[in-house]
Amino acid sequence: ADPEIQLIDEAGAVLEPEGDPSYDADSGLLTVEYRLMSATGTYTVRACKPGCTGFVIEEVPLGPGLTGLHLNDFNGDEEIVLYAGDINEDGFVDAMDMAIVKSGLNRAGTLENGDVSGDGFVDAMDMSLVKSSLNKSSQVIQWTQEGGS
């Protein structure tokens, strides 16, 4: 599954994107368009992908006249990284995720059974992906760019 970008308004509602998102696997660039009809406000932007930790940026100022938002425009050295291996989607890659892979090892399966790589089989590759992300967690940061984007 491709990564997804969700835009969440102040009331907690997830807005529907306008059209289908486009994802370039080579560059890792995900483009999602939204039409903001309401007044300027603050939003939460959540990057997510099944089986991975998430990345959340809170307090993002947006309004109807905005033509684009580049998530790499916020201040700081944060990189948006979604770590593979959060099988139970609790925000952490930990021993619980490793146990899921071990219990499904050497069998056909889905993400719920430990197939992190998505090849339809739980094997050493899936174990390696979880091990490489062990103890990683979802990140939540505050938007700090002065003046918006």
PDB file of all heavy atoms in Angstrom, residues 52-85:
ATOM      1  N   CYS A  52       3.252   0.730   9.343  1.00  0.00           N
ATOM      2  CA  CYS A  52       4.359   1.653   9.613  1.00  0.00           C
ATOM      3  C   CYS A  52       3.986   2.612  10.737  1.00  0.00           C
ATOM      4  O   CYS A  52       2.814   2.849  11.004  1.00  0.00           O
ATOM      5  CB  CYS A  52       4.687   2.487   8.374  1.00  0.00           C
ATOM      6  SG  CYS A  52       5.293   1.536   6.985  1.00  0.00           S
ATOM      7  N   THR A  53       5.011   3.176  11.365  1.00  0.00           N
ATOM      8  CA  THR A  53       4.753   4.242  12.319  1.00  0.00           C
ATOM      9  C   THR A  53       4.243   5.447  11.543  1.00  0.00           C
ATOM     10  O   THR A  53       4.402   5.528  10.335  1.00  0.00           O
ATOM     11  CB  THR A  53       6.031   4.629  13.084  1.00  0.00           C
ATOM     12  OG1 THR A  53       7.013   5.077  12.149  1.00  0.00           O
ATOM     13  CG2 THR A  53       6.580   3.466  13.893  1.00  0.00           C
ATOM     14  N   GLY A  54       3.654   6.395  12.219  1.00  0.00           N
ATOM     15  CA  GLY A  54       3.113   7.579  11.563  1.00  0.00           C
ATOM     16  C   GLY A  54       3.972   8.806  11.811  1.00  0.00           C
ATOM     17  O   GLY A  54       4.944   8.769  12.557  1.00  0.00           O
ATOM     18  N   PHE A  55       3.603   9.894  11.167  1.00  0.00           N
ATOM     19  CA  PHE A  55       4.272  11.181  11.354  1.00  0.00           C
ATOM     20  C   PHE A  55       3.179  12.233  11.359  1.00  0.00           C
ATOM     21  O   PHE A  55       2.408  12.335  10.408  1.00  0.00           O
ATOM     22  CB  PHE A  55       5.272  11.447  10.227  1.00  0.00           C
ATOM     23  CG  PHE A  55       6.217  12.575  10.511  1.00  0.00           C
ATOM     24  CD1 PHE A  55       7.481  12.321  11.009  1.00  0.00           C
ATOM     25  CD2 PHE A  55       5.833  13.883  10.302  1.00  0.00           C
ATOM     26  CE1 PHE A  55       8.351  13.365  11.280  1.00  0.00           C
ATOM     27  CE2 PHE A  55       6.688  14.933  10.565  1.00  0.00           C
ATOM     28  CZ  PHE A  55       7.965  14.671  11.059  1.00  0.00           C
ATOM     29  N   VAL A  56       3.087  13.002  12.440  1.00  0.00           N
ATOM     30  CA  VAL A  56       2.014  13.972  12.612  1.00  0.00           C
ATOM     31  C   VAL A  56       2.604  15.359  12.808  1.00  0.00           C
ATOM     32  O   VAL A  56       3.531  15.542  13.597  1.00  0.00           O
ATOM     33  CB  VAL A  56       1.129  13.598  13.829  1.00  0.00           C
ATOM     34  CG1 VAL A  56       0.052  14.649  14.061  1.00  0.00           C
ATOM     35  CG2 VAL A  56       0.511  12.219  13.635  1.00  0.00           C
ATOM     36  N   ILE A  57       2.066  16.324  12.078  1.00  0.00           N
ATOM     37  CA  ILE A  57       2.436  17.729  12.265  1.00  0.00           C
ATOM     38  C   ILE A  57       1.173  18.440  12.731  1.00  0.00           C
ATOM     39  O   ILE A  57       0.156  18.438  12.031  1.00  0.00           O
ATOM     40  CB  ILE A  57       2.967  18.371  10.973  1.00  0.00           C
ATOM     41  CG1 ILE A  57       4.142  17.563  10.421  1.00  0.00           C
ATOM     42  CG2 ILE A  57       3.387  19.816  11.241  1.00  0.00           C
ATOM     43  CD1 ILE A  57       4.595  17.998   9.046  1.00  0.00           C
ATOM     44  N   GLU A  58       1.230  19.034  13.911  1.00  0.00           N
ATOM     45  CA  GLU A  58       0.073  19.710  14.490  1.00  0.00           C
ATOM     46  C   GLU A  58       0.158  21.214  14.308  1.00  0.00           C
ATOM     47  O   GLU A  58       1.239  21.762  14.089  1.00  0.00           O
ATOM     48  CB  GLU A  58      -0.023  19.383  15.981  1.00  0.00           C
ATOM     49  CG  GLU A  58      -0.253  17.907  16.253  1.00  0.00           C
ATOM     50  CD  GLU A  58      -0.325  17.575  17.721  1.00  0.00           C
ATOM     51  OE1 GLU A  58       0.319  18.274  18.538  1.00  0.00           O
ATOM     52  OE2 GLU A  58      -1.032  16.611  18.061  1.00  0.00           O
ATOM     53  N   GLU A  59      -1.007  21.866  14.409  1.00  0.00           N
ATOM     54  CA  GLU A  59      -1.101  23.328  14.375  1.00  0.00           C
ATOM     55  C   GLU A  59      -0.600  23.927  13.060  1.00  0.00           C
ATOM     56  O   GLU A  59       0.103  24.930  13.040  1.00  0.00           O
ATOM     57  CB  GLU A  59      -0.359  23.959  15.565  1.00  0.00           C
ATOM     58  CG  GLU A  59      -0.816  23.472  16.922  1.00  0.00           C
ATOM     59  CD  GLU A  59      -2.249  23.894  17.240  1.00  0.00           C
ATOM     60  OE1 GLU A  59      -2.651  25.008  16.866  1.00  0.00           O
ATOM     61  OE2 GLU A  59      -2.967  23.080  17.858  1.00  0.00           O
ATOM     62  N   VAL A  60      -0.957  23.303  11.941  1.00  0.00           N
ATOM     63  CA  VAL A  60      -0.566  23.800  10.626  1.00  0.00           C
ATOM     64  C   VAL A  60      -1.589  24.847  10.184  1.00  0.00           C
ATOM     65  O   VAL A  60      -2.773  24.533  10.039  1.00  0.00           O
ATOM     66  CB  VAL A  60      -0.496  22.659   9.589  1.00  0.00           C
ATOM     67  CG1 VAL A  60      -0.073  23.190   8.231  1.00  0.00           C
ATOM     68  CG2 VAL A  60       0.451  21.565  10.062  1.00  0.00           C
ATOM     69  N   PRO A  61      -1.162  26.103   9.988  1.00  0.00           N
ATOM     70  CA  PRO A  61      -2.117  27.145   9.592  1.00  0.00           C
ATOM     71  C   PRO A  61      -2.441  27.057   8.103  1.00  0.00           C
ATOM     72  O   PRO A  61      -1.557  27.151   7.259  1.00  0.00           O
ATOM     73  CB  PRO A  61      -1.370  28.438   9.919  1.00  0.00           C
ATOM     74  CG  PRO A  61       0.074  28.073   9.795  1.00  0.00           C
ATOM     75  CD  PRO A  61       0.182  26.621  10.172  1.00  0.00           C
ATOM     76  N   LEU A  62      -3.718  26.873   7.789  1.00  0.00           N
ATOM     77  CA  LEU A  62      -4.153  26.775   6.401  1.00  0.00           C
ATOM     78  C   LEU A  62      -5.404  27.604   6.193  1.00  0.00           C
ATOM     79  O   LEU A  62      -6.154  27.860   7.128  1.00  0.00           O
ATOM     80  CB  LEU A  62      -4.458  25.318   6.029  1.00  0.00           C
ATOM     81  CG  LEU A  62      -3.310  24.322   6.116  1.00  0.00           C
ATOM     82  CD1 LEU A  62      -3.821  22.924   5.836  1.00  0.00           C
ATOM     83  CD2 LEU A  62      -2.205  24.688   5.150  1.00  0.00           C
ATOM     84  N   GLY A  63      -5.660  27.983   4.952  1.00  0.00           N
ATOM     85  CA  GLY A  63      -6.861  28.739   4.633  1.00  0.00           C
ATOM     86  C   GLY A  63      -7.246  28.561   3.183  1.00  0.00           C
ATOM     87  O   GLY A  63      -6.537  27.914   2.417  1.00  0.00           O
ATOM     88  N   PRO A  64      -8.371  29.151   2.771  1.00  0.00           N
ATOM     89  CA  PRO A  64      -8.901  28.961   1.417  1.00  0.00           C
ATOM     90  C   PRO A  64      -7.967  29.415   0.292  1.00  0.00           C
ATOM     91  O   PRO A  64      -8.016  28.879  -0.794  1.00  0.00           O
ATOM     92  CB  PRO A  64     -10.178  29.795   1.403  1.00  0.00           C
ATOM     93  CG  PRO A  64     -10.523  30.017   2.823  1.00  0.00           C
ATOM     94  CD  PRO A  64      -9.250  29.956   3.601  1.00  0.00           C
ATOM     95  N   GLY A  65      -7.102  30.380   0.518  1.00  0.00           N
ATOM     96  CA  GLY A  65      -6.248  30.880  -0.549  1.00  0.00           C
ATOM     97  C   GLY A  65      -4.952  30.119  -0.723  1.00  0.00           C
ATOM     98  O   GLY A  65      -4.156  30.424  -1.598  1.00  0.00           O
ATOM     99  N   LEU A  66      -4.712  29.094   0.080  1.00  0.00           N
ATOM    100  CA  LEU A  66      -3.450  28.362   0.034  1.00  0.00           C
ATOM    101  C   LEU A  66      -3.335  27.575  -1.269  1.00  0.00           C
ATOM    102  O   LEU A  66      -4.264  26.890  -1.672  1.00  0.00           O
ATOM    103  CB  LEU A  66      -3.364  27.398   1.214  1.00  0.00           C
ATOM    104  CG  LEU A  66      -2.038  26.675   1.370  1.00  0.00           C
ATOM    105  CD1 LEU A  66      -0.989  27.651   1.891  1.00  0.00           C
ATOM    106  CD2 LEU A  66      -2.182  25.525   2.325  1.00  0.00           C
ATOM    107  N   THR A  67      -2.204  27.712  -1.948  1.00  0.00           N
ATOM    108  CA  THR A  67      -2.014  26.989  -3.202  1.00  0.00           C
ATOM    109  C   THR A  67      -1.176  25.741  -3.031  1.00  0.00           C
ATOM    110  O   THR A  67      -1.186  24.874  -3.880  1.00  0.00           O
ATOM    111  CB  THR A  67      -1.334  27.896  -4.245  1.00  0.00           C
ATOM    112  OG1 THR A  67      -0.093  28.348  -3.712  1.00  0.00           O
ATOM    113  CG2 THR A  67      -2.220  29.071  -4.592  1.00  0.00           C
ATOM    114  N   GLY A  68      -0.431  25.637  -1.934  1.00  0.00           N
ATOM    115  CA  GLY A  68       0.379  24.447  -1.730  1.00  0.00           C
ATOM    116  C   GLY A  68       0.985  24.413  -0.349  1.00  0.00           C
ATOM    117  O   GLY A  68       1.229  25.451   0.255  1.00  0.00           O
ATOM    118  N   LEU A  69       1.203  23.245   0.138  1.00  0.00           N
ATOM    119  CA  LEU A  69       1.838  23.036   1.434  1.00  0.00           C
ATOM    120  C   LEU A  69       2.910  21.985   1.237  1.00  0.00           C
ATOM    121  O   LEU A  69       2.622  20.885   0.775  1.00  0.00           O
ATOM    122  CB  LEU A  69       0.807  22.555   2.459  1.00  0.00           C
ATOM    123  CG  LEU A  69       1.363  22.050   3.782  1.00  0.00           C
ATOM    124  CD1 LEU A  69       1.974  23.218   4.557  1.00  0.00           C
ATOM    125  CD2 LEU A  69       0.264  21.399   4.593  1.00  0.00           C
ATOM    126  N   HIS A  70       4.127  22.336   1.527  1.00  0.00           N
ATOM    127  CA  HIS A  70       5.237  21.396   1.420  1.00  0.00           C
ATOM    128  C   HIS A  70       5.648  21.047   2.834  1.00  0.00           C
ATOM    129  O   HIS A  70       6.096  21.904   3.583  1.00  0.00           O
ATOM    130  CB  HIS A  70       6.397  22.007   0.642  1.00  0.00           C
ATOM    131  CG  HIS A  70       6.009  22.393  -0.749  1.00  0.00           C
ATOM    132  ND1 HIS A  70       5.958  21.480  -1.768  1.00  0.00           N
ATOM    133  CD2 HIS A  70       5.614  23.573  -1.271  1.00  0.00           C
ATOM    134  CE1 HIS A  70       5.554  22.091  -2.868  1.00  0.00           C
ATOM    135  NE2 HIS A  70       5.336  23.362  -2.588  1.00  0.00           N
ATOM    136  N   LEU A  71       5.471  19.790   3.206  1.00  0.00           N
ATOM    137  CA  LEU A  71       5.719  19.396   4.589  1.00  0.00           C
ATOM    138  C   LEU A  71       7.168  19.560   4.994  1.00  0.00           C
ATOM    139  O   LEU A  71       7.471  19.645   6.169  1.00  0.00           O
ATOM    140  CB  LEU A  71       5.266  17.958   4.815  1.00  0.00           C
ATOM    141  CG  LEU A  71       3.775  17.721   4.632  1.00  0.00           C
ATOM    142  CD1 LEU A  71       3.424  16.289   4.975  1.00  0.00           C
ATOM    143  CD2 LEU A  71       2.957  18.683   5.448  1.00  0.00           C
ATOM    144  N   ASN A  72       8.064  19.651   4.034  1.00  0.00           N
ATOM    145  CA  ASN A  72       9.467  19.855   4.391  1.00  0.00           C
ATOM    146  C   ASN A  72       9.781  21.335   4.597  1.00  0.00           C
ATOM    147  O   ASN A  72      10.913  21.710   4.810  1.00  0.00           O
ATOM    148  CB  ASN A  72      10.399  19.241   3.347  1.00  0.00           C
ATOM    149  CG  ASN A  72      10.180  19.815   1.973  1.00  0.00           C
ATOM    150  OD1 ASN A  72       9.164  20.435   1.715  1.00  0.00           O
ATOM    151  ND2 ASN A  72      11.123  19.598   1.086  1.00  0.00           N
ATOM    152  N   ASP A  73       8.758  22.208   4.575  1.00  0.00           N
ATOM    153  CA  ASP A  73       8.971  23.642   4.769  1.00  0.00           C
ATOM    154  C   ASP A  73       8.972  24.065   6.231  1.00  0.00           C
ATOM    155  O   ASP A  73       9.261  25.206   6.532  1.00  0.00           O
ATOM    156  CB  ASP A  73       7.878  24.455   4.054  1.00  0.00           C
ATOM    157  CG  ASP A  73       8.098  24.502   2.559  1.00  0.00           C
ATOM    158  OD1 ASP A  73       9.193  24.137   2.107  1.00  0.00           O
ATOM    159  OD2 ASP A  73       7.170  24.901   1.855  1.00  0.00           O
ATOM    160  N   PHE A  74       8.606  23.159   7.145  1.00  0.00           N
ATOM    161  CA  PHE A  74       8.574  23.584   8.530  1.00  0.00           C
ATOM    162  C   PHE A  74       9.994  23.674   9.078  1.00  0.00           C
ATOM    163  O   PHE A  74      10.903  23.031   8.583  1.00  0.00           O
ATOM    164  CB  PHE A  74       7.698  22.664   9.391  1.00  0.00           C
ATOM    165  CG  PHE A  74       8.116  21.222   9.359  1.00  0.00           C
ATOM    166  CD1 PHE A  74       9.052  20.741  10.251  1.00  0.00           C
ATOM    167  CD2 PHE A  74       7.570  20.361   8.433  1.00  0.00           C
ATOM    168  CE1 PHE A  74       9.433  19.411  10.222  1.00  0.00           C
ATOM    169  CE2 PHE A  74       7.951  19.036   8.394  1.00  0.00           C
ATOM    170  CZ  PHE A  74       8.885  18.562   9.290  1.00  0.00           C
ATOM    171  N   ASN A  75      10.176  24.517  10.101  1.00  0.00           N
ATOM    172  CA  ASN A  75      11.509  24.706  10.667  1.00  0.00           C
ATOM    173  C   ASN A  75      11.977  23.445  11.372  1.00  0.00           C
ATOM    174  O   ASN A  75      11.199  22.666  11.866  1.00  0.00           O
ATOM    175  CB  ASN A  75      11.510  25.870  11.661  1.00  0.00           C
ATOM    176  CG  ASN A  75      11.371  27.194  10.972  1.00  0.00           C
ATOM    177  OD1 ASN A  75      11.667  27.324   9.797  1.00  0.00           O
ATOM    178  ND2 ASN A  75      10.912  28.191  11.698  1.00  0.00           N
ATOM    179  N   GLY A  76      13.268  23.282  11.431  1.00  0.00           N
ATOM    180  CA  GLY A  76      13.845  22.132  12.115  1.00  0.00           C
ATOM    181  C   GLY A  76      14.450  21.167  11.128  1.00  0.00           C
ATOM    182  O   GLY A  76      14.324  21.304   9.918  1.00  0.00           O
ATOM    183  N   ASP A  77      15.106  20.187  11.667  1.00  0.00           N
ATOM    184  CA  ASP A  77      15.794  19.200  10.850  1.00  0.00           C
ATOM    185  C   ASP A  77      15.021  17.893  10.777  1.00  0.00           C
ATOM    186  O   ASP A  77      15.579  16.864  10.419  1.00  0.00           O
ATOM    187  CB  ASP A  77      17.193  18.936  11.417  1.00  0.00           C
ATOM    188  CG  ASP A  77      18.069  20.180  11.343  1.00  0.00           C
ATOM    189  OD1 ASP A  77      17.915  20.949  10.376  1.00  0.00           O
ATOM    190  OD2 ASP A  77      18.892  20.378  12.249  1.00  0.00           O
ATOM    191  N   GLU A  78      13.740  17.928  11.134  1.00  0.00           N
ATOM    192  CA  GLU A  78      12.937  16.713  11.133  1.00  0.00           C
ATOM    193  C   GLU A  78      12.759  16.194   9.717  1.00  0.00           C
ATOM    194  O   GLU A  78      12.486  16.946   8.802  1.00  0.00           O
ATOM    195  CB  GLU A  78      11.553  16.985  11.730  1.00  0.00           C
ATOM    196  CG  GLU A  78      11.577  17.441  13.157  1.00  0.00           C
ATOM    197  CD  GLU A  78      11.830  16.330  14.137  1.00  0.00           C
ATOM    198  OE1 GLU A  78      11.718  15.145  13.762  1.00  0.00           O
ATOM    199  OE2 GLU A  78      12.170  16.639  15.278  1.00  0.00           O
ATOM    200  N   GLU A  79      12.912  14.900   9.555  1.00  0.00           N
ATOM    201  CA  GLU A  79      12.604  14.243   8.289  1.00  0.00           C
ATOM    202  C   GLU A  79      11.311  13.484   8.491  1.00  0.00           C
ATOM    203  O   GLU A  79      11.055  12.967   9.577  1.00  0.00           O
ATOM    204  CB  GLU A  79      13.691  13.232   7.937  1.00  0.00           C
ATOM    205  CG  GLU A  79      14.690  13.715   6.938  1.00  0.00           C
ATOM    206  CD  GLU A  79      15.555  12.569   6.475  1.00  0.00           C
ATOM    207  OE1 GLU A  79      16.377  12.111   7.259  1.00  0.00           O
ATOM    208  OE2 GLU A  79      15.380  12.145   5.328  1.00  0.00           O
ATOM    209  N   ILE A  80      10.493  13.408   7.489  1.00  0.00           N
ATOM    210  CA  ILE A  80       9.274  12.621   7.596  1.00  0.00           C
ATOM    211  C   ILE A  80       9.638  11.184   7.256  1.00  0.00           C
ATOM    212  O   ILE A  80       9.957  10.863   6.114  1.00  0.00           O
ATOM    213  CB  ILE A  80       8.177  13.155   6.666  1.00  0.00           C
ATOM    214  CG1 ILE A  80       7.803  14.568   7.111  1.00  0.00           C
ATOM    215  CG2 ILE A  80       6.974  12.231   6.664  1.00  0.00           C
ATOM    216  CD1 ILE A  80       6.793  15.249   6.248  1.00  0.00           C
ATOM    217  N   VAL A  81       9.641  10.338   8.282  1.00  0.00           N
ATOM    218  CA  VAL A  81      10.016   8.943   8.122  1.00  0.00           C
ATOM    219  C   VAL A  81       8.903   8.075   8.684  1.00  0.00           C
ATOM    220  O   VAL A  81       8.440   8.296   9.804  1.00  0.00           O
ATOM    221  CB  VAL A  81      11.339   8.628   8.864  1.00  0.00           C
ATOM    222  CG1 VAL A  81      11.689   7.159   8.739  1.00  0.00           C
ATOM    223  CG2 VAL A  81      12.469   9.496   8.339  1.00  0.00           C
ATOM    224  N   LEU A  82       8.454   7.119   7.908  1.00  0.00           N
ATOM    225  CA  LEU A  82       7.490   6.127   8.363  1.00  0.00           C
ATOM    226  C   LEU A  82       8.242   4.810   8.484  1.00  0.00           C
ATOM    227  O   LEU A  82       8.652   4.237   7.485  1.00  0.00           O
ATOM    228  CB  LEU A  82       6.326   6.000   7.376  1.00  0.00           C
ATOM    229  CG  LEU A  82       5.596   7.292   7.010  1.00  0.00           C
ATOM    230  CD1 LEU A  82       4.474   6.994   6.009  1.00  0.00           C
ATOM    231  CD2 LEU A  82       5.058   7.995   8.230  1.00  0.00           C
ATOM    232  N   TYR A  83       8.460   4.364   9.713  1.00  0.00           N
ATOM    233  CA  TYR A  83       9.250   3.154   9.938  1.00  0.00           C
ATOM    234  C   TYR A  83       8.396   1.909   9.750  1.00  0.00           C
ATOM    235  O   TYR A  83       7.335   1.767  10.355  1.00  0.00           O
ATOM    236  CB  TYR A  83       9.846   3.165  11.341  1.00  0.00           C
ATOM    237  CG  TYR A  83      10.853   4.266  11.546  1.00  0.00           C
ATOM    238  CD1 TYR A  83      10.510   5.439  12.210  1.00  0.00           C
ATOM    239  CD2 TYR A  83      12.149   4.131  11.058  1.00  0.00           C
ATOM    240  CE1 TYR A  83      11.437   6.451  12.382  1.00  0.00           C
ATOM    241  CE2 TYR A  83      13.079   5.144  11.228  1.00  0.00           C
ATOM    242  CZ  TYR A  83      12.722   6.302  11.885  1.00  0.00           C
ATOM    243  OH  TYR A  83      13.631   7.308  12.056  1.00  0.00           O
ATOM    244  N   ALA A  84       8.878   0.977   8.912  1.00  0.00           N
ATOM    245  CA  ALA A  84       8.168  -0.282   8.666  1.00  0.00           C
ATOM    246  C   ALA A  84       8.232  -1.161   9.904  1.00  0.00           C
ATOM    247  O   ALA A  84       9.235  -1.171  10.616  1.00  0.00           O
ATOM    248  CB  ALA A  84       8.793  -1.010   7.480  1.00  0.00           C
ATOM    249  N   GLY A  85       7.154  -1.894  10.158  1.00  0.00           N
ATOM    250  CA  GLY A  85       7.161  -2.881  11.225  1.00  0.00           C
ATOM    251  C   GLY A  85       6.144  -2.663  12.322  1.00  0.00           C
ATOM    252  O   GLY A  85       6.026  -3.483  13.224  1.00  0.00           O
TER     253      GLY A  85
END
